[in-house]
Amino acid sequence: MEIVQFKNWKFEVDRSLTIETYAGIVSGGAVSCSCNDCKNYVESREYIFPEEVKILFLNLGIDYKKEVEILSYQILPNGLHHIAGWFHFKGKMIDGKNCKRDIENESFQIELTAIGDNFSIGFCEQNSLTFFENKDDLIQVEFEAYIPWLIDKSLESL
């Protein structure tokens, strides 16, 4: 196990198992989806993640090109698309804010931390739709981003 520090978070990480798991995945969820929002995400992926987040993913063993899931929320008045998604890594959160805040009736809310103007990130103990066979000791990396539409403009609202 390795210790990884990122901003106010500290993790114990099984980097080798995380790398091994991602190496066994052919492609992320967005590549296997045929919707235009996912196609645009794939086209935008290189520009979405700030450099410090790409370095974090490298330290955690996450392949940022193999997201579990992508969600599309809305098109903002400025034309940017509000999207979200998540990844996992094997490990434990030692210190830092859990982004999953329980609210009434077994519901929860995700509260992320901004990294720049168009990207936010958070971490929680969760295993939604994971690539990992063993779902114990997983940290879910949640993110939101505001991205431009890069593919054919006629497909934007389909």
Side-chain angles (χ1 to χ4, degrees), residues 77-91:
N78 65 5
L80 293 179
H81 289 247
H82 181 194
I83 58 112
W86 65 89
F87 300 86
H88 294 101
F89 68 89
K90 191 63 114 173

Side-chain angles (χ1 to χ4, degrees), residues 77-144:
N78 65 5
L80 293 179
H81 289 247
H82 181 194
I83 58 112
W86 65 89
F87 300 86
H88 294 101
F89 68 89
K90 191 63 114 173
K92 295 180 182 178
M93 192 178 324
I94 297 170
D95 199 15
K97 174 185 159 189
N98 184 334
C99 71
K100 183 180 172 187
R101 189 172 64 84
D102 291 324
I103 51 180
E104 57 190 42
N105 300 326
E106 297 184 22
S107 296
F108 64 90
Q109 182 175 353
I110 300 293
E111 297 175 345
L112 303 179
T113 300
I115 309 287
D117 293 334
N118 293 322
F119 187 86
S120 298
I121 195 167
F123 307 89
C124 61
E125 295 174 352
Q126 186 80 13
N127 56 23
S128 301
L129 301 173
T130 185
F131 297 133
F132 288 79
E133 288 182 29
N134 180 339
K135 295 182 179 188
D136 296 332
D137 296 328
L138 287 181
I139 300 296
Q140 188 161 304
V141 182
E142 298 273 350
F143 75 92
E144 287 187 356

Side-chain angles (χ1 to χ4, degrees), residues 8 23 33 42 44 63 75 80 98 106 109 122 135 143 149 154:
N8 295 324
C33 180
V42 170
S44 306
D63 182 342
I75 302 172
L80 293 179
N98 184 334
E106 297 184 22
Q109 182 175 353
K135 295 182 179 188
F143 75 92
W149 193 261
S154 68

Side-chain angles (χ1 to χ4, degrees), residues 27-44:
S27 64
V31 170
S32 62
C33 180
S34 62
C35 83
N36 292 328
D37 289 319
C38 283
K39 289 176 185 175
N40 188 64
Y41 168 82
V42 170
E43 188 68 27
S44 306

